[in-house]
């Protein structure tokens, strides 16, 4: 097996993969309607439930061919009964995406907005649910990938359940990294995509959730032909297959990635991501960078650093310098501040971050940015 050039992706997914996962895609051609292939998907579906410690009697997973956004689309359009409303607890770009999906489908929804650098006020969340008894579905994002903020999903889920609503959580940027227990965390449905925590490839996404709730949704309005949760579930249950053509090679890679997930183990993998995240924060701190999210609210996977006030600072130039040397950094996703992100996803470890900061420091020096970096306003003490 020829080693493939290793790039360190510090963007929030797709993430750096192992060569064994890359090469797992190179397989003999197969028609996915063969039994041999359908059998592979059963194993994946069960493994995906096991990752969030779900009981296989109560929970199932449904696979889709698409990037991670397909899951948000599927959950919101499929799990809302006629005449009911969705509440989106929104403090960032990915929950905003959920509100846009509601808009496109014409689903009744409340966009309950909070500042992007703050955790939601649970009293306001509760008051909203209490005062709107037609809310049947509460949705939020676990790790707001735009900033790296960790939302209190267990608490939000408890509120949703207290008032009889379903709770769907976008766990795309925590799943298979930060440990999740679907039942204890009060989640009815969570979701992810193979290119993030699993360290495989884009094209395979999955919703994991309560069988009973999916079966109940059989009578809800069908708002999409391709992206309906019940229809895809029913097809899987009957045939073991996706309704339409699955991403064959991507699935082979995901199987290898799952093997490597269990080999590394939940605890060791989370410890490694934490090591990487700590090394990123240490590097940023040493260079004087400020971050958007206060330390105790960070999900431990995405650092969101604020652009320094230095006329020489040019994100694109710094990006290009790092990119040419095998390191990818990523712009931010908030409108209130100019930020860039460094993420702890993927098959990387602390030495990769140390290597990165050597390159990054050189990039600052080469482009004439003063180190430690400078800000014109005193740091807010929050
Ligand atoms: C990456 C990500 C998604 C999915 O994005 P795609 O580009 O569609 O794969 C959804 N939600 C969150 C929180 C994410 O981090």
């Amino acid at each position: 097996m020829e080693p493939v050039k290793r790039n360190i992706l510090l963007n929030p997914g797709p993430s750096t993969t192992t060569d064994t996962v890359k090469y797992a895609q190179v397989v003999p051609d197969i028609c996915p309607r063969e039994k041999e292939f359908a059998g592979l998907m059963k194993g994946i579906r069960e493994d995906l439930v096991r990752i969030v410690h779900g009981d296989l009697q109560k929970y199932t997973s449904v696979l889709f061919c698409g990037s991670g956004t397909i899951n948000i689309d599927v959950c919101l359009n499929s799990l809302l009964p006629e005449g009911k409303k969705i509440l989106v607890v929104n403090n960032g770009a990915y929950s905003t995406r959920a509100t846009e999906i509601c808009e496109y489908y014409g689903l009744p929804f409340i966009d309950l907005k909070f500042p992007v650098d703050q955790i939601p006020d649970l009293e306001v969340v509760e008051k909203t649910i209490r005062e709107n008894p037609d809310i049947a579905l509460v949705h939020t994002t676990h790790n707001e990938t735009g900033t790296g903020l960790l939302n209190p999903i267990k608490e939000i889920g408890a509120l949703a359940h207290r008032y009889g609503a379903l709770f769907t959580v976008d766990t795309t940027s925590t799943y298979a990294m930060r440990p999740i227990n679907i039942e204890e965390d009060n989640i009815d449905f969570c979701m992810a995509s193979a290119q993030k925590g699993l360290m495989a490839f884009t094209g395979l996404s999955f919703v994991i959730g309560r069988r009973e709730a999916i079966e109940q949704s059989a009578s809800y309005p069908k708002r999409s032909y391709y992206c309906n949760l019940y229809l895809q579930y029913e097809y899987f249950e009957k045939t073991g297959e996706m309704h339409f053509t699955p991403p064959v090679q991507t699935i082979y890679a995901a199987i290898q990635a799952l093997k490597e997930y269990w080999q590394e183990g939940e605890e060791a993998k989370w410890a490694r991501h934490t090591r990487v995240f700590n090394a990123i924060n240490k590097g940023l701190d040493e260079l004087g960078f400020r971050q958007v999210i206060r330390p105790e609210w960070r999900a431990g996977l995405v650092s969101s650093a604020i652009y320094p006030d230095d006329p020489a600072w040019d994100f694109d130039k710094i990006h290009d310098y790092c990119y040419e040397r095998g390191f990818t950094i990523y712009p931010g996703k908030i409108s209130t501040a100019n930020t860039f992100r460094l993420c702890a996803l993927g098959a990387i470890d602390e030495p990769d971050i140390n290597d990165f900061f050597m390159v990054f420091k050189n990039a600052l020096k080469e482009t004439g940015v003063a180190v430690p970096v400078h800000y014109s306003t005193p740091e807010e003490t929050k």
Side-chain angles (χ1 to χ4, degrees):
M1 207 172 67
E2 185 88 0
V4 180
K5 177 176 181 275
R6 186 158 178 269
N7 288 328
I8 304 301
L9 301 186
L10 301 175
N11 48 294
S15 49
T16 297
T17 57
T18 60
D19 279 0
T20 37
V21 167
K22 289 183 190 81
Y23 276 109
Q25 297 176 106
V26 184
V27 288
D29 293 319
I30 182 170
C31 170
R33 298 304 179 197
E34 292 299 328
K35 271 199 206 72
E36 185 188 336
F37 190 81
L40 296 176
M41 281 194 287
K42 181 164 189 289
I44 298 183
R45 287 181 65 206
E46 292 180 354
D47 264 0
L48 293 173
V49 176
R50 283 190 193 102
I51 286 178
V52 290
H53 302 273
D55 172 349
L56 288 168
Q57 300 292 319
K58 268 167 100 171
Y59 297 90
T60 188
S61 72
V62 184
L63 313 182
F64 289 90
C65 183
S67 80
T69 304
I70 200 171
N71 297 321
I72 316 173
D73 185 320
V74 163
C75 283
L76 297 180
N77 93 63
S78 308
L79 292 167
L80 187 69
E82 185 73 68
K84 299 290 186 183
K85 204 180 262 173
I86 295 174
L87 172 68
V88 181
V89 179
N90 180 359
N91 57 352
Y94 288 90
S95 289
T96 298
R97 190 173 293 181
T99 66
E100 287 167 1
I101 289 169
C102 292
E103 266 169 29
Y104 272 66
Y105 280 103
L107 304 172
F109 72 102
I110 297 174
D111 181 5
L112 191 59
K113 278 203 178 99
F114 296 96
V116 294
D117 59 350
Q118 303 284 316
I119 55 170
D121 182 334
L122 293 173
E123 279 178 28
V124 176
V125 173
E126 172 156 24
K127 185 167 176 283
T128 309
I129 306 176
R130 195 175 54 231
E131 288 175 356
N132 294 275
D134 56 347
I135 290 172
L137 197 165
V138 176
H139 177 88
T140 198
T141 307
H142 193 197
N143 170 20
E144 248 306 343
T145 320
T147 55
L149 179 138
L150 183 72
N151 274 315
I153 53 165
K154 190 172 179 173
E155 290 75 10
I156 299 172
L159 292 175
H161 291 165
R162 186 172 309 155
Y163 295 91
L166 274 185
F167 185 44
T168 63
V169 190
D170 180 352
T171 52
T172 313
S173 61
T174 43
Y175 180 91
M177 293 180 285
R178 191 180 178 94
I180 294 171
N181 184 308
I182 192 165
E183 191 153 13
E184 285 175 10
D185 288 332
N186 297 321
I187 299 169
D188 294 303
F189 290 89
C190 61
M191 58 194 77
S193 198
Q195 81 273 17
K196 298 223 176 170
L198 272 187
M199 315 192 304
F201 296 105
T202 314
L204 176 67
S205 291
F206 32 89
V207 172
I208 300 146
R210 277 178 45 223
R211 239 176 233 286
E212 201 184 80
I214 300 176
E215 280 164 13
Q216 211 162 24
S217 75
S219 63
Y220 298 175
K222 302 285 177 297
R223 301 170 176 103
S224 167
Y225 182 71
Y226 196 80
C227 295
N228 183 272
L229 183 60
Y230 178 75
L231 293 179
Q232 185 83 326
Y233 165 80
E234 190 196 27
Y235 206 85
F236 263 117
E237 292 298 301
K238 273 197 193 135
T239 65
E241 297 179 39
M242 276 193 200
H243 198 168
F244 305 106
T245 308
V248 175
Q249 286 72 15
T250 305
I251 286 178
Y252 281 101
I255 291 170
Q256 177 62 26
L258 282 163
K259 231 181 252 169
E260 294 176 17
Y261 176 86
W262 298 119
Q263 269 161 14
E264 185 172 15
E266 179 184 56
E267 208 177 314
K269 188 170 188 288
W270 176 230
R272 177 172 60 74
H273 290 301
T274 303
R275 253 188 334 265
V276 170
F277 185 67
N278 290 342
I280 289 171
N281 286 320
K282 183 165 165 272
L284 287 172
D285 287 349
E286 280 171 5
L287 293 169
F289 279 95
R290 291 181 191 169
Q291 292 190 38
V292 178
I293 305 299
R294 60 170 92 172
E296 65 273 24
W297 287 351
R298 295 175 191 161
L301 290 158
V302 174
S303 292
S304 204
I306 300 171
Y307 284 4
D309 296 315
D310 186 323
W313 171 265
D314 182 331
F315 177 79
D316 290 336
K317 276 191 194 154
I318 293 181
H319 165 275
D320 293 352
Y321 184 96
C322 296
Y323 180 78
E324 282 157 18
R325 288 156 183 81
F327 297 93
T328 301
I329 65 175
Y330 205 68
K333 218 183 181 104
I334 53 177
S335 52
T336 47
N338 283 320
T339 57
F340 67 98
R341 285 177 285 174
L342 300 177
C343 307
L345 282 65
I348 59 176
D349 209 336
E350 198 176 346
D352 297 312
I353 302 303
N354 298 338
D355 293 347
F356 162 71
F357 274 104
M358 304 243 279
V359 170
F360 187 65
K361 261 181 230 167
N362 283 338
L364 295 173
K365 206 159 107 191
E366 292 280 317
T367 55
V369 177
V371 172
V373 297
H374 163 82
Y375 292 92
S376 56
T377 52
E379 185 150 27
E380 286 172 54
T381 40
K382 292 180 186 167

